[in-house]
Amino acid sequence: MTATVPAVSGSLRADSRHTLLPHAARTSDSGGLDIEIYEGPREIPPDDQDLDHPDRRPAADTAATATAPTAPTAGPSRDGAVTATHIGTATLLLRVGGLAVLTDPAFDRAPAEYPGDRPLRRTQDPALAPADLPPLDLVLLSHDQHADNLDVSGREVLAGAPLVLTTPEAAARLGGRAEGLAPWESRTLPAPAGGPLTVTAVPARHGPEGTEAVTGPVTGFVLAHGGRTLYVSGDTVRHDALDDVAGRFAVDTAFLHLGDAHFPSTGDRAFSMNAEDGAALARTLGARTVIPLHYEGWDHFTEPRARIEAAFAQVQAPRLRFLAPGVAETV
């Protein structure tokens, strides 16, 4: 799988004079695997613009038009309640102890294309635009390599966040207010209600064993506050290290990144959990409720909601709950 890092700043746009597209620097790791790192927009002179060429197709205009929210965003939680708003893909707005916590910000409008050896294409708009967000207290970023977890508009959101917790490698690339957490490291933040919020980084692996050099590091998170324990898996496949989460935490609500991500060039190798994996992990965790994320809106997702529902119905899995896009719900 090709690791891709979207542009750090600036929007992708196409107009009558110039086209801005992401460009990549290709490197190789010690095993000779090609990794593409997006370095930002590249300006194509007017005379060199051939929009029929796959590298010249204009990407989505991520700045000019805001997405109308389908419902108000989450308000402050009361009496220890946790609210969640699923914005799209793995982007989730949580209200925990009065703190506004955002995960994996991806706000570019569809259709948006991110070229590379493993190209990504967004097919559905996010339910909310960055302008619809409340002031953020924290962003939890599973990784910065792929545009379905952090895109151009998402990087602009990061710039306004007071704290970003992510992998050490992503923190080094992002700089600023980003802090890296290794697996099982924690960060405790004061919260307006219900005592402090403790965030712990937990293991994740974005593909089959042996692909880590290409997929890059990924992290999941456990949030503990006021007797509640939330698990956000990050982009991961099912592997033994995930069982350690159940051994260390009594998870009551699990937000699982599913979708069974595949690419034509990688055959039957999956780069996120399928529905059966998610159901099995949910049983291992003993979670009261499972809320799927990361399963629709992009071409590389292969298992829609109906497939997830069928897999959970076949086993004695915890309660499965889908959040309405853009709607703040108590979880």
Side-chain angles (χ1 to χ4, degrees):
M1 181 179 180
T2 300
T4 60
V5 180
V8 173
S9 62
S11 60
L12 304 183
R13 62 178 174 83
D15 59 35
S16 60
R17 298 182 60 192
H18 293 83
T19 299
L20 293 181
L21 292 174
H23 71 290
R26 185 176 299 279
T27 63
S28 293
D29 73 342
S30 58
L33 298 172
D34 286 333
I35 303 173
E36 282 189 341
I37 303 297
Y38 278 101
E39 295 180 330
R42 170 170 56 89
E43 185 173 281
I44 303 173
D47 294 341
D48 193 32
Q49 292 186 34
D50 174 10
L51 295 183
D52 290 329
H53 189 284
D55 290 337
R56 301 294 190 267
R57 296 192 188 107
D61 186 338
T62 61
T65 307
T67 306
T70 59
T73 57
S77 55
R78 298 184 178 90
D79 300 325
V82 175
T83 63
T85 307
H86 189 196
I87 296 171
T89 321
T91 309
L92 185 72
L93 177 63
L94 296 168
R95 284 282 196 172
V96 184
L99 298 176
V101 181
L102 187 71
T103 69
D104 286 357
F107 287 94
D108 290 352
R109 299 197 65 193
E113 296 186 356
Y114 306 88
D117 289 344
R118 314 289 184 267
L120 299 176
R121 184 174 187 271
R122 183 167 199 158
T123 59
Q124 293 181 12
D125 284 337
L128 301 175
D132 302 315
L133 297 173
L136 298 175
D137 298 291
L138 173 65
V139 175
L140 302 178
L141 179 64
S142 66
H143 61 299
D144 70 335
Q145 302 96 280
H146 305 133
D148 55 335
N149 301 87
L150 180 65
D151 58 13
V152 177
S153 300
R155 287 178 177 256
E156 295 172 354
V157 171
L158 288 191
L163 177 63
V164 179
L165 298 180
T166 185
T167 66
E169 294 83 358
R173 286 188 291 263
L174 294 168
R177 301 180 181 93
E179 294 185 13
L181 294 179
W184 311 119
E185 287 187 336
S186 298
R187 179 77 145 80
T188 299
L189 291 78
L197 169 68
T198 298
V199 178
T200 303
V202 295
R205 195 182 74 208
H206 205 343
E209 187 174 2
T211 63
E212 295 90 337
V214 177
T215 60
V218 182
T219 187
F221 298 97
V222 169
L223 293 76
H225 175 268
R228 296 290 307 277
T229 304
L230 314 177
Y231 169 54
V232 183
S233 72
D235 287 9
T236 186
V237 296
R238 186 83 164 92
H239 62 294
D240 290 344
L242 299 185
D243 295 346
D244 294 338
V245 177
R248 295 176 182 237
F249 298 97
V251 174
D252 59 77
T253 303
F255 298 90
L256 300 185
H257 293 207
L258 303 178
D260 196 22
H262 280 77
F263 299 89
S265 59
T266 56
D268 61 357
R269 288 178 290 181
F271 294 90
S272 67
M273 286 186 286
N274 61 28
E276 287 81 6
D277 292 336
L281 176 59
R283 293 184 65 184
T284 299
L285 292 171
R288 173 177 52 85
T289 303
V290 173
I291 298 176
L293 307 174
H294 191 270
Y295 62 90
E296 63 182 358
W298 294 75
D299 279 349
H300 59 295
F301 298 157
T302 66
E303 290 191 344
R305 172 173 175 164
R307 181 71 190 89
I308 299 169
E309 290 174 330
F312 273 70
Q314 289 174 1
V315 298
Q316 293 181 342
R319 176 191 177 211
L320 183 66
R321 178 178 177 184
F322 290 84
L323 300 180
V327 179
E329 301 185 34
T330 301
V331 298

